[in-house]
Amino acid sequence: MLALKIDEFYIKNFINFLICLLPVSFIAGNLIINLNLGLIVIFSFLFYGKEIFKLKLLFFDKVLILIFIFAIFTSLFNTFNYKNDYQKTLDTFTINKTLSFLRFLFFYFAMRFLVEKKIFSFKYFFVVSSLCSIFVSLDLIYQFINGKDIFGFTSETYKLAGPFGDEQIAGSYLQRFSVFSFFLIIIYYPNLSFKTKLTLFLFLILLFFYSIFLAGNRMPIIVFMLFWFFLFFLEKRLRNFSILFLGSLLFFFYLVFQFNDLVNTYTLHFFRISNEIVKFVPVLLSEENISQFPNTYVKEFYSGLMSWKENFYIGGGINSFHYNCVKSVSACASHPHNYYLEILSEHGLIGMLLWSIVFLYVVFVSIIKKYFLEANFINNHLITPFAILFLVEIFPFKTTGSFFTTGNATFIFLILSVIIALSRKSQYN
């Protein structure tokens, strides 16, 4: 009996160790993310497989399974019916990508089980996320001052990547993982004095905000501020802090904008491009032929719409966007830089309806139910960062990476599993 308890102790800590490596894996790259995700799934099913398979399927679970079944169907259908002027068949490309995407379904069920059974330690995950975010921030500052980061990576443009090498994703990484730092203090160190909390919060928020600026990624800056806006609007208990944060961010942004020519230039460029996109939306939605695009984002949005029209109801299959895009646009990116346009292009109208059910369900149980129907969850304090991160992640009016890539899908399905598990009952403390 004692041996069994010791085994359970080591198993639980080993699983938590793998999960807590996720923030580190995002820095190391897709290969390590896939390896880490695979180990989480394999060992979760190895140690708890019988219990995981006994999980009661919720309505959400059934819709999610249906999405994956539909993805397999549309990939098979398009593989054997695909034709264009550039190649006769799609071979097995989308089928392979779709089968590979199934790993996220297993990841979802493994994580949902681990959260429900209180095996997953949020505290450890928050600590690692915080340390990794601070490390990325300091490395970006070091690269800004010295021209290269601690690993020797240099930047050929004004955008800094820090430990990510030549991938310009430092800003999005900080926007996603840095917020856990604040909830680590709020949830797990409640006895700290107000003055200490205030000092830590101001230091961290300025550190992360400045680092996102250095990364040169404009959308993560907007999304980071959007997170704090939603937190201010929704979470009354944190409203005083949120007001302070928003005020500090706006004041800091004003100072950087006024005294840093580079920030001034690319901020104005961002607003110019955004204005062009807004003005061009009616043209995109019309049936008019577009001969000239005001910027690359409009071209990508347009190519997404055109690709969707090629397979209006069922889409072209996962990662099929580029193959269908070339039918309407001469030069295409790998994805249309918007989650919803990509889902429409690759899963069609039916797939978009299914994904919309998933998105709306999560928003209902984590935002509407919690804040507007005043559901009394014991785990309110834990679900908050994941709920608002999900809200800003699926915010439709922004440019994004590819929905089906390793990094984005891992982050999205991690949030999905945690929210669904925490929102089920009030037993998880």
Side-chain angles (χ1 to χ4, degrees):
M1 191 69 174
L2 179 60
L4 180 61
K5 289 182 179 179
I6 293 175
D7 287 344
E8 289 177 352
F9 172 80
Y10 283 114
I11 288 171
K12 181 177 179 179
N13 279 279
F14 178 66
I15 292 292
N16 271 293
F17 171 74
L18 292 176
I19 298 173
C20 289
L21 280 179
L22 280 173
V24 182
S25 300
F26 273 79
I27 299 174
N30 286 339
L31 177 63
I32 305 302
I33 295 176
N34 279 318
L35 177 61
N36 195 358
L37 185 144
L39 290 175
I40 293 172
V41 172
I42 290 171
F43 284 105
S44 295
F45 278 87
L46 180 65
F47 295 139
Y48 305 107
K50 292 182 180 179
E51 296 178 74
I52 294 175
F53 284 114
K54 289 180 182 178
L55 279 175
K56 181 181 178 181
L57 289 180
L58 310 172
F59 168 76
F60 178 89
D61 302 335
K62 295 174 182 178
V63 175
L64 200 60
I65 292 172
L66 183 59
I67 286 175
F68 280 85
I69 294 174
F70 177 76
I72 294 173
F73 162 75
T74 190
S75 293
L76 288 170
F77 178 86
N78 282 285
T79 295
F80 296 108
N81 291 275
Y82 181 87
K83 300 260 183 203
N84 74 0
D85 296 332
Y86 296 87
Q87 62 184 68
K88 293 182 178 179
T89 65
L90 200 58
D91 299 320
T92 59
F93 181 73
T94 59
I95 294 178
N96 293 336
K97 288 293 183 180
T98 302
L99 293 178
S100 174
F101 196 68
L102 283 172
R103 68 192 187 277
F104 296 107
L105 183 63
F106 294 109
F107 177 62
Y108 162 79
F109 279 108
M111 285 301 304
R112 194 196 122 190
F113 170 82
L114 295 172
V115 174
E116 287 187 12
K117 299 301 180 181
K118 303 182 187 178
I119 297 169
F120 174 43
S121 172
F122 286 94
K123 182 178 181 179
Y124 294 152
F125 181 79
F126 284 17
V127 168
V128 176
S129 297
S130 303
L131 292 175
C132 287
S133 297
I134 292 172
F135 165 73
V136 171
S137 297
L138 295 177
D139 193 53
L140 284 168
I141 294 172
Y142 183 86
Q143 188 178 42
F144 175 70
I145 296 172
N146 296 280
K148 59 182 179 180
D149 84 324
I150 63 171
F151 299 108
F153 293 127
T154 58
S155 178
E156 301 298 329
T157 67
Y158 69 88
K159 294 184 178 181
L160 303 181
F164 297 96
D166 57 355
E167 291 189 88
Q168 306 294 333
I169 58 173
S172 61
Y173 179 91
L174 290 173
Q175 171 259 307
R176 286 172 168 176
F177 287 99
S178 67
V179 297
F180 294 114
S181 306
F182 305 97
F183 288 88
L184 173 67
I185 297 171
I186 293 170
I187 297 171
Y188 295 104
Y189 298 97
N191 295 325
L192 290 175
S193 66
F194 178 81
K195 184 178 179 180
T196 302
K197 288 181 181 179
L198 184 61
T199 302
L200 286 172
F201 287 168
L202 284 176
F203 169 75
L204 290 173
I205 201 165
L206 293 179
L207 173 67
F208 296 141
F209 193 57
Y210 180 62
S211 301
I212 296 175
F213 258 113
L214 292 181
N217 306 115
R218 291 175 287 243
M219 189 51 65
I221 296 172
I222 303 299
V223 176
F224 187 72
M225 296 183 70
L226 191 63
F227 176 92
W228 290 105
F229 171 80
F230 282 133
L231 188 66
F232 161 73
F233 179 74
L234 296 170
E235 194 63 61
K236 294 179 181 178
R237 294 175 299 174
L238 302 177
R239 191 160 292 173
N240 290 336
F241 285 116
S242 298
I243 293 174
L244 180 64
F245 294 166
L246 279 174
S248 300
L249 289 179
L250 291 173
F251 179 70
F252 184 71
F253 174 80
Y254 174 78
L255 289 178
V256 175
F257 179 81
Q258 289 293 326
F259 298 104
N260 188 306
D261 292 337
L262 186 59
V263 171
N264 183 291
T265 300
Y266 73 68
T267 300
L268 293 176
H269 181 255
F270 171 80
F271 284 114
R272 180 179 61 80
I273 288 179
S274 300
N275 185 53
E276 290 173 352
I277 293 174
V278 171
K279 289 183 177 180
F280 222 66
V281 167
V283 181
L284 285 175
L285 298 177
S286 70
E287 297 296 326
E288 299 177 23
N289 292 321
I290 301 176
S291 57
Q292 188 174 2
F293 301 93
N295 60 63
T296 56
Y297 295 104
V298 171
K299 182 178 179 180
E300 288 162 358
F301 295 162
Y302 174 76
S303 63
L305 289 172
M306 293 300 101
S307 179
W308 172 35
K309 289 183 178 180
E310 293 293 331
N311 298 275
F312 188 81
Y313 292 105
I314 66 170
I318 292 177
N319 279 48
S320 65
F321 167 75
H322 184 80
Y323 292 91
N324 289 312
C325 172
V326 294
K327 297 179 182 180
S328 305
V329 182
S330 57
C332 298
S334 58
H335 58 91
H337 288 81
N338 180 272
Y339 285 161
Y340 297 91
L341 287 175
E342 185 177 13
I343 292 172
L344 284 169
S345 171
E346 301 187 358
H347 280 176
L349 182 62
I350 296 174
M352 185 71 256
L353 290 174
L354 292 173
W355 278 110
S356 296
I357 293 173
V358 165
F359 293 164
L360 291 173
Y361 183 90
V362 174
V363 171
F364 174 76
V365 299
S366 64
I367 300 293
I368 306 297
K369 192 175 180 182
K370 179 178 185 295
Y371 293 107
F372 297 95
L373 300 182
E374 298 183 349
N376 188 25
F377 299 134
I378 293 177
N379 47 53
N380 271 351
H381 55 304
L382 285 176
I383 202 173
T384 299
F386 294 96
I388 301 181
L389 277 173
F390 181 77
L391 192 61
V392 298
E393 186 71 23
I394 65 166
F395 192 71
F397 307 112
K398 67 171 187 173
T399 57
T400 67
S402 173
F403 184 81
F404 299 103
T405 53
T406 297
N408 288 333
T410 300
F411 185 74
I412 290 169
F413 278 90
L414 172 66
I415 294 178
L416 287 177
S417 60
V418 171
I419 289 176
I420 295 302
L422 289 180
S423 64
R424 281 196 62 207
K425 297 177 181 179
S426 60
Q427 61 180 345
Y428 318 112
N429 196 356

